[in-house]
Amino acid sequence: MDEHLTSLSEDRALLGRTSTAERVSDILRSRIAEGFFPPGTRLSEDSIGGALGVSRNTLREAFRLLTHERLLVHELNRGVFVRVLTVEDVEDIYRTRGLVECAVVRGLGAPPYRLDALSEAVEEGQRAAREGDWKSVGTANIHFHRELVALAGSARTDELMRSVFAELRLAFHVVDDPKRLHEPYLARNRQILQALQEGDKNEAEKLLAVYLDDSLKRVVEVYRRRVSAGGA
């Protein structure tokens, strides 16, 4: 973890003059999502607090917030760890995604829709694929779905799904073949975008529902194998 602490200390400027637990938790959430702290990693209060220049109490409150979001887990007499998901966790994440994402698309009003951010997420994935950066393809895929949810114009829905997508990244970090996991969805993201560009939200919802069902099966298959092999 030491090699990441120098990078983490660079985030100190993001705290500004008010080093609140919420801002610390935002930084740590991003770092966990990016894989700097993989599932199972023990988070050192001294090291992280020193890197960010925050008090132990502030850091503990940030840990508490992230534990509430199911990104961290506190183990008695051992410390705080990045959570390792179970297969049941992954299934529940996708159940939530299906309920929320499909409802967002179904509830869209009359076209045209504001799709610039969604289109950029598709292009982001394509660029990363051309460069062979499959981890970044996974990040772009999360961005796509985050922007899809944002079409609802609901801050509460955005906040809910921010935590869900962060949890999903915990599963992605365990997978040892990100290309196989993410490549099939590059074209499917574009198909959903095209349906929305054409104003056909019903077709977009159908595509999305099948997409999420297929993705669940693929992720669970790989994740179960990795967990059984002790990869998590």
Side-chain angles (χ1 to χ4, degrees), residues 101-102 104-106 108 113 115 118 144 148 151 188-212:
E101 293 186 51
C102 289
V104 166
V105 174
R106 189 183 316 123
L108 291 175
Y113 309 118
L115 302 173
L118 201 66
F144 176 85
L148 186 69
L151 293 176
R188 298 176 81 161
N189 286 349
R190 187 172 291 280
Q191 288 174 343
I192 293 170
L193 172 63
Q194 288 175 342
L196 291 174
Q197 288 172 332
E198 294 167 3
D200 193 346
K201 67 179 183 181
N202 292 329
E203 177 64 15
E205 184 186 354
K206 291 177 184 177
L207 290 169
L208 178 61
V210 175
Y211 174 125
L212 291 175

Side-chain angles (χ1 to χ4, degrees), residues 86-96 216 220 224:
T86 65
V87 171
E88 290 73 21
D89 288 326
V90 176
E91 291 171 338
D92 194 39
I93 287 169
Y94 271 89
R95 188 178 302 114
T96 302
L216 169 61
V220 166
R224 180 177 282 118

Side-chain angles (χ1 to χ4, degrees), residues 37-51:
F37 302 122
T41 301
R42 181 180 179 277
L43 301 184
S44 165
E45 287 185 3
D46 291 339
S47 297
I48 294 176

Side-chain angles (χ1 to χ4, degrees), residues 36-206:
F36 284 97
F37 302 122
T41 301
R42 181 180 179 277
L43 301 184
S44 165
E45 287 185 3
D46 291 339
S47 297
I48 294 176
L52 289 176
V54 298
S55 70
R56 187 180 297 269
N57 286 340
T58 296
L59 188 59
R60 286 179 176 175
E61 176 63 12
F63 283 172
R64 187 191 68 79
L65 292 171
L66 295 177
T67 299
H68 181 70
E69 293 180 19
R70 302 173 64 83
L71 295 180
L72 302 181
V73 60
H74 181 267
E75 297 186 11
L76 190 62
N77 298 324
R78 295 194 64 218
V80 176
F81 295 79
V82 178
R83 193 157 168 262
V84 177
L85 301 182
T86 65
V87 171
E88 290 73 21
D89 288 326
V90 176
E91 291 171 338
D92 194 39
I93 287 169
Y94 271 89
R95 188 178 302 114
T96 302
R97 292 186 66 191
L99 289 170
V100 174
E101 293 186 51
C102 289
V104 166
V105 174
R106 189 183 316 123
L108 291 175
Y113 309 118
R114 296 184 177 182
L115 302 173
D116 289 349
L118 201 66
S119 179
E120 174 53 34
V122 169
E123 295 304 321
E124 177 188 349
Q126 296 288 348
R127 287 194 300 269
R130 287 194 295 270
E131 295 169 2
D133 185 352
W134 296 102
K135 180 180 177 182
S136 292
V137 171
T139 297
N141 188 44
I142 294 293
H143 290 170
F144 176 85
H145 289 275
R146 188 175 65 198
E147 296 301 339
L148 186 69
V149 169
L151 293 176
S154 167
R156 290 175 177 83
T157 305
D158 290 343
E159 183 176 358
L160 166 67
M161 295 306 292
R162 179 187 67 176
S163 297
V164 171
F165 290 139
E167 267 196 276
L168 182 62
R169 292 299 293 268
L170 295 181
F172 287 173
H173 291 319
V174 173
V175 175
D176 58 353
D177 189 355
K179 178 179 179 179
R180 179 173 179 269
L181 182 65
H182 299 304
E183 187 174 30
Y185 302 105
L186 290 167
R188 298 176 81 161
N189 286 349
R190 187 172 291 280
Q191 288 174 343
I192 293 170
L193 172 63
Q194 288 175 342
L196 291 174
Q197 288 172 332
E198 294 167 3
D200 193 346
K201 67 179 183 181
N202 292 329
E203 177 64 15
E205 184 186 354
K206 291 177 184 177

